[in-house]
Amino acid sequence: MSELRFGYGTNGFANHRLDDALAVIADLGYEGVALTLDHDHLDPFAADLPRRVGEVSARLSSLGLAVVIETGARYLLDPWRKHSPTLLDDDRELRLEFLRRAVDIGADLGAEAVSFWAGVRPAAVAEATAWDRLVDGCARIVEAARERGVTLGFEPEPGMLVPDIAGWRRLHADLGAPAGFGITLDIGHCRCLEPIPVPGCVTAVAEHLVNVQIDDMRRDVHEHLEFGTGEIDFPPVLAALSAAGYAGLVAVELPRHSHAAPTVAARSLEFLRAAEK
């Protein structure tokens, strides 16, 4: 049995300066942070990026926070189209460059994982073409991560080309099961669409699990909810993570709760600690 390490996602602190968000997260008692690279939280395209990465590294160290890198910023790459371009688009080079930069930032910060997803298939792109583009793009990022010694966590995302664990297994196999290409498991997503109970999802991917996002959710509704307001029974989920020997961060993923971030983060940690007992 392992003792779980809880973190909080900076996408739930969108109205805070990054330095302030990290301080609040640490002061509340979290052990780590899921850092979403974005224009206001460590912009990966900033002209002074090396200096800023150095500052964030020092800040994380002084606060005693571990870090994983998340790449789900909504309008970082295109101010008009959410999450665009993706690895599936005709013009996917900017997404590839972003992911390469995320890998470099992850390496420089000593991140435990760099997490990313497939994207939604554009209507004009055939499914077979989209899949080929995804495999090719992932292979490029796998190579970049291998060169920098970075672990990748690919996240199945409802509504995207790879929505579930079965899709991740297919992608993993098509890539040749590379070392360092693990899975990011969002606990809420498991309740939303997986065919087996949530603890069973944890057990099913335990050997590949490198990053965990945690939130409440309801069946067939992709909405990240505060703990206790959805349908998930959390003590068995946390027990499954512990039994699996999972040693990475379990980071709260509430991207639409920035309006009350400190309060939500405080009661989230209180809930998780009570559920772990």
Side-chain angles (χ1 to χ4, degrees), residues 9 16 56-57 59 83 107 111-112 114 119 135 157 161 190 192 197 240 252 255:
H16 283 67
V56 172
S57 178
R59 185 70 164 158
H83 291 155
E112 297 181 4
V114 172
V135 173
E157 183 83 22
L161 187 65
C190 294
C192 179
V252 179

Side-chain angles (χ1 to χ4, degrees), residues 121 125-134 161 170:
R121 178 175 64 86
V125 177
E127 187 166 348
T129 299
W131 187 263
D132 288 345
R133 288 177 177 177
L134 176 62
L161 187 65
R170 177 189 172 195

Side-chain angles (χ1 to χ4, degrees), residues 125-229:
V125 177
E127 187 166 348
T129 299
W131 187 263
D132 288 345
R133 288 177 177 177
L134 176 62
V135 173
D136 173 75
C138 286
R140 297 190 198 190
I141 303 308
V142 165
E143 178 60 21
R146 185 194 64 77
E147 292 176 355
R148 294 303 311 269
V150 168
T151 297
L152 297 174
F154 189 94
E155 181 187 3
E157 183 83 22
M160 293 192 178
L161 187 65
V162 178
D164 53 20
I165 292 170
W168 178 88
R169 291 192 188 281
R170 177 189 172 195
L171 178 59
H172 184 247
D174 283 2
L175 287 168
F181 186 84
I183 187 169
T184 290
L185 191 68
D186 186 304
I187 298 302
H189 295 171
C190 294
R191 175 56 188 158
C192 179
L193 50 63
E194 294 291 350
I196 62 176
V198 181
C201 293
V202 172
T203 303
V205 299
E207 65 178 309
H208 302 291
L209 195 56
V210 298
N211 185 30
V212 172
Q213 300 168 353
I214 194 163
D215 47 83
D216 212 341
M217 207 167 284
R218 300 186 181 97
R219 190 70 177 171
D220 298 324
V221 182
H222 185 200
E223 181 182 1
H224 293 245
L225 303 173
E226 278 196 70
F227 302 118
T229 65

